[in-house]
Amino acid sequence: MRPIWRFLIGQAVLLVALVSLPWVAIAAVPGVLGATAPILCPAEQPDSWIVEYHTDLGDSTGTSWTLVCMGPGGDITEVGSWRPLGIVFGALLLAGEALVLPVQLIGIARRRRRGPQAPGPPRPGRRIQIGVGFNP
């Protein structure tokens, strides 16, 4: 397989893993949204809360979370859930790339430094004739 295909397949696997990771983290620990509060909350509203909403869907109940920032006077700002999720996803993507990309690039550089490889043994089912045209 060519190095570029190995690289692209590795990146695709990493992307699929990292796309699912924030959703698992949010479902398991909704408080992960609170980690983005120092970035998203205004300076005059330092307190952050994760608010859980329940919605009646008829035969089931939907649950969602949102980040809310509160100031000392009781004024609040609802940040929402998409911006915190975007920051969590971006941080996980950067961390994953920081771990995987150097390993992939080192592997590509090593294969290029080795140069072309000698042909391997013949594949099974392939016949090689030696001494064609030689009559005993």
Side-chain angles (χ1 to χ4, degrees):
M1 189 182 313
R2 294 192 145 192
I4 188 71
W5 286 110
R6 287 182 188 161
F7 175 77
L8 292 175
I9 289 171
Q11 289 296 308
V13 168
L14 176 67
L15 183 64
V16 168
L18 291 178
V19 165
S20 61
L21 190 60
W23 300 110
V24 171
I26 294 300
V29 185
V32 76
L33 294 177
T36 61
I39 299 169
L40 296 174
C41 287
E44 60 273 1
Q45 295 176 333
D47 296 330
S48 64
W49 302 92
I50 305 298
V51 178
E52 183 175 318
Y53 293 104
H54 297 281
T55 307
D56 184 20
L57 302 173
D59 58 344
S60 64
T61 302
T63 304
S64 62
W65 296 276
T66 186
L67 176 65
V68 176
C69 303
M70 187 170 75
D75 52 329
I76 63 169
T77 301
E78 185 174 343
V79 176
S81 59
W82 288 107
R83 286 180 26 205
L85 281 175
I87 290 175
V88 168
F89 175 72
L92 289 172
L93 185 64
L94 285 175
E97 282 293 331
L99 293 173
V100 172
L101 190 61
V103 172
Q104 286 184 322
L105 293 177
I106 288 171
I108 290 171
R110 283 184 181 167
R111 282 189 292 276
R112 284 185 185 225
R113 240 184 280 134
R114 274 191 238 144
Q117 296 181 355
R123 292 179 296 212
R126 192 171 172 195
R127 295 177 56 183
I128 299 177
Q129 293 181 342
I130 301 175
V132 174
F134 181 67
N135 289 328

